[in-house]
Amino acid sequence: MTERITKAVIPAAGMGTRFLPATKAMPKEMLPVVDKPAIQYVVEEAVAAGLTDVLMVTGRNKNALENHFDRATELEDALAKKGDTVRLKKVLESTSLADMHYVRQGDPLGLGHAVLRANMHVGMEPFAVLLGDDLIDERDELLSRMLIEQGRRDASIVALMEVPPEQIHLYGAASIEQTGEPDVVRITGMVEKPSADSAPSNYAVIGRYVLKPDVFDVLRVTSPGKGGEIQLTDALKTMAEDVAGTGGVYGVIFRGRRYDTGDKLDYIKAVIQLAVDRPDLGPDLQSWLVGFAARLESR
Ligand code: G1P
């Protein structure tokens, strides 16, 4: 019987340089996707999969993250006094979502280092890692499937997505072997951000992982890799090769809707796609978009 996983780790210490000047005084995780900060979607995804204990690995200038998931009594009182129950509910939602914990990364030594900072909180249990730049559409299943595979195989699990070869240099890439089960593959090797011609495949690691705690010991002895940073991908490569010791690494292939909010163009697309699906905004936005696109065509 495997233990139920309850902990999610969300690395959120990055400087968000791609969104400057918006992120000069505000964490990139607080950028609104329609009317919710990107980070709230990620916490909601963890909670929907049963992970109610959330540890954020933060850094300097990230106080807004803690404030967002905390009570805002003055605001709550003001809304209550006005009888604005709809907005009050929205304000309270992020407060009661999960049991939130925070640790600072200190030195920005890479994603592997950020995950290692979670060791004290996570202890010796399997846990999930969710990267804030990737949003997974709540209508498409991913994390709960990964949790099931983790329990079934007693291995570490990563989410994989097929990307066009010219995009693989933006991701960790995996070499894979079929398992006989659809959409679950065994990972035999991993490379962080390879060039298109040296990539082992066009299966990219997207920002969801369910890891065995062995990863902490591996990370402790992982040398800096790509960009001089301690890479989670490099630790997972070691675990994928050492099947006997750590249970190996498997990939769950995701074919659903994923939005990348870490890139400016993809961020704009994410906002539009999610807004079009919203009952309060969708119909008006859609008819405007259709007209706008027609005007662009005739330019
Ligand atoms: C990180 C990981 C990379 C992974 C990607 C997914 O890179 O290092 O292996 O494929 O997230 O979004 P980043 O995008 O933070 O540079």
Side-chain angles (χ1 to χ4, degrees):
M1 182 71 196
T2 47
E3 55 205 316
R4 199 173 75 85
I5 300 175
T6 56
K7 288 179 181 163
V9 172
I10 304 182
M15 289 201 292
T17 44
R18 278 193 255 179
F19 282 89
L20 282 169
T23 48
K24 183 180 172 191
M26 180 187 81
K28 67 169 175 171
E29 293 80 7
M30 289 301 292
L31 285 170
V33 177
V34 189
D35 51 8
K36 247 190 316 194
I39 193 74
Q40 190 175 332
Y41 289 84
V42 180
V43 175
E44 284 173 353
E45 182 192 336
V47 171
L51 311 175
T52 51
D53 178 322
V54 175
L55 175 75
M56 271 190 204
V57 185
T58 68
R60 290 172 63 77
N61 295 329
K62 298 286 181 167
N63 295 344
L65 289 176
E66 293 193 33
N67 291 339
H68 183 70
F69 293 100
D70 195 3
R71 298 296 297 265
T73 39
E74 261 176 49
L75 178 60
E76 290 166 25
D77 289 348
L79 291 170
K81 236 179 244 157
K82 276 201 258 175
D84 193 342
T85 48
V86 176
R87 291 200 177 89
L88 180 59
K89 192 168 162 266
K90 285 189 178 167
V91 166
L92 289 172
E93 257 163 18
S94 55
T95 308
S96 49
L97 205 50
D99 185 9
M100 302 295 301
H101 304 270
Y102 302 89
V103 63
R104 284 204 180 197
Q105 186 176 3
D107 298 319
L109 299 179
L111 178 60
H113 177 255
V115 170
L116 190 51
R117 296 288 291 134
N119 191 181
M120 186 76 94
H121 181 79
V122 167
M124 290 311 288
E125 303 164 24
F127 64 104
V129 175
L130 292 87
L131 303 188
D133 285 348
D134 292 291
L135 300 190
I136 303 297
D137 197 297
E138 60 179 357
R139 295 162 291 188
D140 298 327
E141 189 192 26
L142 176 59
L143 193 53
S144 47
R145 175 84 202 278
M146 294 171 72
L147 292 167
I148 291 170
E149 288 303 326
Q150 199 289 321
R152 193 178 283 165
R153 295 176 190 273
D154 191 24
S156 292
I157 312 288
V158 302
L160 294 177
M161 199 163 180
E162 260 187 290
V163 299
E166 65 275 14
Q167 281 177 21
I168 197 72
H169 71 279
L170 301 168
Y171 299 94
S175 36
I176 60 168
E177 230 175 56
Q178 300 304 322
T179 59
E181 193 174 336
D183 294 342
V184 182
V185 292
R186 193 172 81 78
I187 292 184
T188 54
M190 280 176 88
V191 196
E192 179 67 4
K193 305 200 172 104
S195 62
D197 36 292
S198 67
S201 76
N202 60 337
Y203 282 98
V205 176
I206 53 170
R208 299 294 179 270
Y209 310 77
V210 180
L211 303 175
K212 290 186 67 172
D214 310 64
V215 73
F216 295 125
D217 288 337
V218 179
L219 279 170
R220 260 186 279 276
V221 295
T222 298
S223 314
K226 192 101 189 176
E229 297 187 338
I230 298 170
Q231 298 291 350
L232 182 57
T233 301
D234 293 343
L236 290 171
K237 174 181 186 284
T238 305
M239 290 167 78
E241 285 165 354
D242 174 26
V243 177
T246 58
V249 181
Y250 288 80
V252 166
I253 297 171
F254 182 62
R255 302 186 196 277
R257 288 159 282 193
R258 162 185 174 264
Y259 312 99
D260 180 359
T261 61
D263 172 84
K264 247 185 278 190
L265 181 60
D266 286 333
Y267 167 79
I268 294 166
K269 291 181 192 167
V271 174
I272 293 173
Q273 281 171 277
L274 287 163
V276 162
D277 285 342
R278 284 258 303 246
D280 55 338
L281 300 167
D284 285 351
L285 178 60
Q286 187 165 333
S287 57
W288 177 81
L289 274 173
V290 170
F292 183 64
R295 285 199 297 282
L296 286 181
E297 292 259 288
S298 61
R299 258 213 313 219

